[in-house]
Amino acid sequence: MLRLKRLMVFSLFAVCVITAFSFWAIRQPGADARGVLSPPPRAGAKMLSAGITTAVNVTRSPDAQWLNRAAVQTGIPARALRAYVAAAATANEANPRCGIGWNTVAAVGFVESAHGTYGGGSLNTAGQASGPIVGPSLNGAGFAAIADTDAGALDGDARWDHAVGPMQFIPSTWQLVRRDGNGDGTADPFNIDDAALSAATYLCAHGRDLTTAQGWTDAIYSYNQSDPYIRQVQAQAAAYAAKTGTAE
């Protein structure tokens, strides 16, 4: 009888130890659903000299020669790349702590809509998508269920929301973070300048420092709560930096 009691006590102790270790392991960095990934290197960009007029602020626009070369190196359409560089520069100017790289903004744009070319589309010289880029219905069938929030104004569906534009914003999120990236007085999710600046601003929100692993991971996780998504964005951003260089 005494031996049986000792065995029961030992078994209970073992279960407690194993359970405690399991909770400890689950809480370790990188062990939860999303993990914490190192931020990709921040890609550099050669900026325009003052006094040159472009569609966006000259101090936040890439040099034309650098832009054309980087577009070839990365496969990013030059019009989209220009928007990503301007967006990152503007977001960092507004929030110097953020430290977001244009390659992170570009990686999100690639994953979300292939830089506005999803479905055979393209961007015109003003950065406008050639057609409406509208994601699937968020009706709970394979996606989160998000009832309509804008009476179908952006996505054409008055029952369910859809992510829209080259950076794929849900209408309710767009209303909160929309920015006018090209200075035309309108924030349009289907314009790459507006969408890219809005995305960069959103990623930099809440005082995040994207030069740190936790800050960068939290930023991308806020955009899409999926571990494979975070890893894809990280890999793509790192590839863009490797192809163009990281010297500012």
Side-chain angles (χ1 to χ4, degrees), residues 69-206:
R69 182 173 66 253
V72 172
Q73 291 169 331
T74 61
I76 302 172
R79 188 62 187 81
L81 179 56
R82 182 172 122 190
Y84 299 143
V85 173
T90 301
N92 286 326
E93 184 177 274
N95 183 3
R97 181 187 176 190
C98 179
I100 191 171
W102 66 258
N103 50 315
T104 287
V105 185
V108 172
F110 170 79
V111 177
E112 294 293 349
S113 72
H115 311 303
T117 66
Y118 176 77
S122 61
L123 300 172
N124 65 19
T125 56
Q128 204 70 22
S130 59
I133 303 173
V134 178
S137 173
L138 299 177
N139 58 9
F143 300 93
I146 303 178
D148 174 68
T149 59
D150 69 335
L154 294 176
D155 54 24
D157 187 343
R159 183 178 181 186
W160 301 102
D161 266 349
H162 301 242
V164 299
M167 303 303 282
Q168 287 290 278
F169 276 100
I170 297 171
S172 57
T173 305
W174 178 254
Q175 293 302 317
L176 294 174
V177 302
R178 59 185 179 181
R179 297 290 186 275
D180 176 13
N182 58 9
D184 66 355
T186 302
D188 180 357
F190 297 100
N191 179 275
I192 190 63
D193 294 320
D194 297 350
L197 178 57
S198 299
T201 301
Y202 181 79
L203 292 169
C204 289
H206 306 295

